[in-house]
Amino acid sequence: MRLIADGTTAASRAVLMNELETDDGYAFELDRPLFLAARDRIGFEGDDLVVARASGERLRPAGSWATRCRLGYRPPAATA
């Protein structure tokens, strides 16, 4: 599922996530899986992930940045 981490776009449904991968080849890997409820918002403040719950609570889950081997979005290969 593609999530928009701009801090203002709410999640459309509940998801369990363990990392967020960017379009430019980086990923924020969470130390523990995180349950993101519908209407929660995610964003980054500096290098920190921030989750704004629909209730108004703000979380800063622990994690770290990693580099992926490939850069950018790669569409699925066509099958013949």
Side-chain angles (χ1 to χ4, degrees):
M1 174 179 180
R2 179 172 289 269
L3 298 172
I4 299 173
D6 61 3
T8 59
T9 304
S12 59
R13 65 178 188 226
V15 294
L16 182 64
M17 59 186 207
N18 61 358
E19 68 180 17
L20 292 166
E21 189 171 331
T22 67
D23 288 338
D24 57 356
Y26 296 96
F28 187 82
E29 298 175 341
L30 293 157
D31 290 348
R32 297 185 337 211
L34 173 71
F35 177 74
L36 188 68
R39 298 187 356 234
D40 286 353
R41 300 179 314 275
I42 55 173
F44 290 96
E45 293 178 2
D47 287 339
D48 296 331
L49 175 67
V50 177
V51 177
R53 299 282 191 202
S55 66
E57 178 186 11
R58 292 174 53 90
L59 305 174
R60 291 181 182 270
S64 59
W65 285 97
T67 304
R68 296 293 189 225
C69 294
R70 62 178 171 78
L71 293 177
Y73 172 75
R74 184 177 302 166
T79 57

